[in-house]
Amino acid sequence: MASTRTGPDSDLHVEAQEILADLRAAVESGEQNWFPALLEAVRLWPLPVEQVGERTYQYLVGGEAFDWLLLAERLSAEISALVPEEELETLLFHEKFPGGATEEDFQALMGAKYKPHLNFVYGVRVEAALQMAVAEEIGKEHRATLIWERSGRADEEAFQRIYGRPRAELFAEFQASTGLATGEWLSLGELSEWRYWLFQYRLKYSDPAKVASDTRKGLAVLQRLNLAARRREEPPTEPD
C-alpha cells in the first residue's frame, strides 16, 4: 500500500518505505514473529502524520502524545495476509498482545516511544473517560430530570465541573491557539488534539489534588470499559 508524502522532507518518506519493506520481509521470511516485527517498525517509524489514499493518519498528537495503535493499524495492512487474523483483530480492537507478550515486553520493544504512548493514554483516552465519568455522575444526580440527558446539558455541566469553564468557550480558545478544527465536524485527529489540549489545560489550571482525583476517576472508567470489552469477547462457558 503506497502512501503519499506528507511534507517537504522526502528523506523521512523514503525511510518509512524502507521500514515497511523490512517489516514485510521479516514476517514473510519467518525471521521474526509478526508482533515484535510490527513493534520494531512502530519504534523506528519517522512520520508524525501520513496521508494514505484518502485517509489521514495522525500518529503524533500535540507534538508529544503518540497513538501507537493507529500506527499499528496502518502498518498491519502491509502484513495482514501473513498473520493470524484473530490475533491481529484482538490487538487492534482490544489492544491485547499476542503470544503472551507482557507490558514489560511492549515497553522494551517500544523504546523511546513508550513515554509518548503514555502521554496519549493519559492525555487522550483518560481525558475522554473522565468526561464520561463526570457526565455519568451528573446523570445520576438528575435521574428524575430526563431532560438533562436529552438536551446534552450533562456534558456541558461536566465541562464546567472538570475545567471550570463552558465547553464552547474552551473550544474557541483551542481553535484560536492551534488553528485546528475550523470546520463543522472534528476529524479523529482533531478530536485527539482537542482532548489532549484539554488535558494540558487541566494540568495547568486545576488544583493538583483535583488533577490527581480526576485522573483516577478517568482511569477507573477506562479500565471498566476495557474489562467490559474483553468480557464480551470471551467465549461462553459450558454449563456443568
Side-chain angles (χ1 to χ4, degrees):
M1 182 183 298
S3 64
T4 60
R5 286 172 52 181
T6 59
D9 195 343
S10 61
D11 288 343
L12 291 182
H13 179 76
V14 171
E15 183 181 346
Q17 293 305 309
E18 291 174 349
I19 291 169
L20 288 173
D22 289 343
L23 171 61
R24 285 192 297 266
V27 177
E28 284 176 346
S29 67
E31 176 186 336
Q32 269 188 302
N33 179 273
W34 74 270
F35 183 59
L38 179 70
L39 286 188
E40 182 177 352
V42 167
R43 178 174 57 81
L44 296 173
W45 193 254
L47 300 175
V49 62
E50 184 183 22
Q51 187 76 28
V52 182
E54 297 183 355
R55 182 173 178 184
T56 299
Y57 291 85
Q58 184 173 340
Y59 310 121
L60 195 63
V61 175
E64 57 188 21
F66 175 52
D67 188 351
W68 89 272
L69 204 58
L70 181 63
L71 178 54
E73 177 191 342
R74 184 266 184 273
L75 297 178
S76 67
E78 303 287 334
I79 57 171
S80 59
L82 305 171
V83 303
E85 181 179 357
E86 185 176 346
E87 288 187 4
L88 185 56
E89 288 182 355
T90 301
L91 173 68
L92 297 180
F93 289 108
H94 304 294
E95 206 166 348
K96 184 176 180 181
F97 306 144
T102 65
E103 183 69 19
E104 290 74 20
D105 298 328
F106 175 70
Q107 180 175 353
L109 289 166
M110 287 283 282
K113 281 194 169 82
Y114 186 74
K115 183 176 179 181
H117 153 67
L118 292 181
N119 288 342
F120 186 86
V121 170
Y122 283 89
V124 178
R125 295 181 184 171
V126 173
E127 201 68 14
L130 169 61
Q131 293 168 15
M132 182 184 299
V134 176
E136 286 177 353
E137 289 177 356
I138 294 167
K140 291 176 181 177
E141 292 171 7
H142 300 272
R143 192 184 301 272
T145 312
L146 298 181
I147 192 172
W148 274 77
E149 295 295 338
R150 292 174 181 170
S151 66
R153 288 183 60 193
D155 290 337
E156 294 294 341
E157 177 65 17
F159 265 70
Q160 192 70 46
R161 290 191 186 186
I162 297 169
Y163 309 106
R165 293 173 62 188
R167 175 165 55 179
E169 192 176 291
L170 286 166
F171 190 71
E173 188 172 321
F174 162 73
Q175 288 180 303
S177 64
T178 64
L180 296 172
T182 56
E184 185 177 353
W185 302 100
L186 292 179
S187 67
L188 289 177
E190 288 171 336
L191 182 59
S192 292
E193 290 279 1
W194 165 228
R195 287 169 174 165
Y196 196 69
W197 186 90
L198 288 169
F199 165 72
Q200 292 176 311
Y201 182 92
R202 184 165 61 86
L203 292 185
K204 184 176 182 179
Y205 293 107
S206 294
D207 176 82
K210 184 177 186 303
V211 169
S213 174
D214 282 350
T215 300
R216 288 194 296 270
K217 190 178 297 183
L219 274 171
V221 169
L222 187 61
Q223 291 167 355
R224 186 190 78 200
L225 293 174
N226 290 340
L227 180 60
R230 288 173 183 170
R231 283 177 174 169
R232 284 196 298 270
E233 291 300 311
E234 290 177 357
T237 57
E238 294 290 336
D240 294 335

